[in-house]
Amino acid sequence: MVQLSDDIEKVHDTVRAAYAAVATESGTGCCGPRTSEVSGCCATPVHAEDFSERFGYSRVEMDLVPEGANLGLGCGNPQAIAALKPGEVVVDLGSGAGFDVFLAARQVGDSGRVIGVDMTHEMLAKARDNARKGGYPNVEFRLGEIEYLPIADDTADVVISNCVINLSPDKARVFREAFRVLKPGGRMAVSDVVRTAAFPPELVDDDGLLCGCVTGATPVAELEAHMTAAGFTGIRIDLKEESREVIKDWAPGKGVENHVVSAAIEAVKPGCGCGGRC
């Protein structure tokens, strides 16, 4: 068992508890609206389909997954940039109840495979139940932290993730792990939030805003540095300025939309000379 620092483990415990509550109470995602009267994560229910539609999922996509798989946890749609093909192996970092895993499974087909990784027991139980209900023989869900993926080297053609890397207290290690599990020529396609301005002191110590996909966000330059150090090339971070209209509802009245924005993040592990499309 890998020994983590006390600070890292504290963050993991905070996030794990918040998302366990989402899984067991069928509430909204932490990356979702809260009332100004309630401080903390996941306070105000919102229809998951409405929330996901605002971040780029179609009603057709949402109708394809088992009921209960879409908890409205994301801040974008990694499927839109992943360009998945039949037969590919996909790893989803922070797979939750399985929403993106099930969508990816349909794209890679029976000859492909999708592995979801999540550190929350309650989410894993929900995802596995959804897989049984939906009949997905080409998916599996593994317990693990995204800083230490329970996956062998050179396994995946594509690594996806939706608004999860910002929750990690060690993002440099997350990108090293993503690089490790990708095959040469494999690619990363991630939706996440990035920081565009420094947080004021009153926001920094709010655990609700940490698990709510806000104060864990990293500046673009820092993310690029982590990805470059991990070995990625072809790095692209496309800021979605229109997302601020949705993000402002995550913590009404706190102005979080002035500090973070959703982004589509892409990169390639060098190896085949075809930009990750071979």
Side-chain angles (χ1 to χ4, degrees):
M1 184 73 177
V2 177
Q3 288 295 112
L4 301 178
S5 74
D6 289 344
D7 287 345
I8 289 175
E9 197 56 44
K10 180 180 177 182
V11 172
H12 280 171
D13 288 345
T14 298
V15 173
R16 187 182 290 113
Y19 283 87
V22 176
T24 56
E25 297 170 12
S26 297
T28 184
C30 293
C31 304
R34 289 192 295 267
T35 62
S36 57
E37 294 81 16
V38 182
S39 177
C41 187
C42 313
T44 305
V46 65
H47 200 289
E49 289 190 351
D50 292 338
F51 185 73
S52 295
E53 191 170 33
R54 295 176 75 185
F55 272 119
Y57 289 95
S58 70
R59 291 283 171 168
V60 172
E61 286 177 305
M62 289 183 274
D63 287 343
L64 290 174
V65 302
E67 184 178 356
N70 180 15
L71 299 178
L73 295 174
C75 59
N77 180 358
Q79 310 288 330
I81 59 173
L84 300 178
K85 301 190 295 287
E88 290 190 315
V89 178
V90 180
V91 171
D92 183 13
L93 309 184
S95 49
F99 183 36
D100 286 306
V101 167
F102 299 133
L103 290 176
R106 289 182 171 273
Q107 294 185 55
V108 302
D110 292 343
S111 61
R113 183 162 58 110
V114 187
I115 304 168
V117 178
D118 205 282
M119 69 174 181
T120 306
H121 289 274
E122 292 83 355
M123 280 295 184
L124 279 178
K126 195 173 186 71
R128 288 167 177 165
D129 184 55
N130 287 332
R132 286 191 294 270
K133 288 188 300 184
Y136 288 87
N138 59 341
V139 309
E140 63 175 298
F141 294 94
R142 300 181 185 179
L143 179 68
E145 292 158 347
I146 61 174
E147 298 90 352
Y148 299 95
L149 293 170
I151 297 173
D153 295 359
D154 303 333
T155 293
D157 296 289
V158 189
V159 169
I160 63 173
S161 185
N162 195 348
C163 221
V164 172
I165 295 175
N166 75 87
L167 299 170
S168 171
D170 191 350
K171 296 172 183 62
R173 180 173 286 278
V174 173
F175 287 113
R176 291 198 299 271
E177 279 291 274
F179 188 89
R180 178 184 66 78
V181 304
L182 278 169
K183 300 173 184 177
R187 60 198 186 277
M188 195 169 192
V190 170
S191 294
D192 216 313
V193 290
V194 297
R195 176 153 59 91
T196 57
F199 296 114
E202 64 269 20
L203 298 185
V204 172
D205 295 325
D206 186 332
D207 284 346
L209 293 179
L210 169 65
C211 78
C213 308
V214 177
T215 54
T218 299
V220 170
E222 190 173 328
L223 279 182
E224 288 180 332
H226 290 328
M227 296 171 79
T228 299
F232 283 105
T233 60
I235 298 167
R236 179 179 177 183
I237 301 178
D238 182 16
L239 303 187
K240 306 297 184 181
E241 290 293 335
E242 67 276 12
S243 67
R244 296 187 195 270
E245 283 300 307
V246 185
I247 289 171
K248 71 179 182 181
D249 292 333
W250 291 1
K254 294 190 176 182
V256 296
E257 71 277 10
N258 298 320
H259 305 279
V260 297
V261 66
S262 176
I265 302 168
E266 300 177 78
V268 174
K269 177 175 179 175
C272 72
C274 65
R277 294 296 190 268
C278 58

